[in-house]
Amino acid sequence: MDKILNYRNAIISFLEDYAKIKPANLPEVQNQVIIDDVNRHYQLVRIGWDEGKHVHYAVFHFDIIDGKVWIQQNRTDLPIGFDLIDLGIAAKDLVYAYLPVSLRSAA
């Protein structure tokens, strides 16, 4: 299997596992995994209602760009890079896009 396909499968596995975790404080909100294989965009989105307000936001957003996994969004306090490495993504191929360029190498 080629690297891009391995990275795609690792990302989807991560998102699907995380999607099984229901936020206890948001009982009317569900997790949805969004997969765009054509453009290599992958997201976990939360959608639903909380106390009469509509909820819709990306918890995680990953892109595969030029053979690297770009972490565009991480709305948790979890250091997900370690999980992605455990799933087979090389540390050198992780780009923390949500950080300023000057901080990315320290992540």
Side-chain angles (χ1 to χ4, degrees), residues 11-24 26 29-35 43-47 59-60 62 76 78:
I11 292 167
I12 292 172
S13 175
F14 173 84
L15 292 174
E16 288 176 344
D17 285 348
Y18 200 92
K20 294 174 187 172
I21 303 168
K22 287 280 295 173
L26 300 170
V29 172
Q30 57 181 256
N31 293 326
Q32 295 180 353
V33 175
I34 310 295
I35 300 169
Q43 296 183 23
L44 174 65
V45 174
R46 287 211 169 125
I47 188 166
V59 179
F60 300 112
F62 303 100
T76 73
L78 302 173

Side-chain angles (χ1 to χ4, degrees), residues 49-67:
W49 291 89
D50 180 33
E51 297 179 3
K53 294 182 182 174
H54 187 250
V55 173
H56 183 271
Y57 63 90
V59 179
F60 300 112
H61 176 170
F62 303 100
D63 293 327
I64 300 176
I65 302 170
D66 297 328

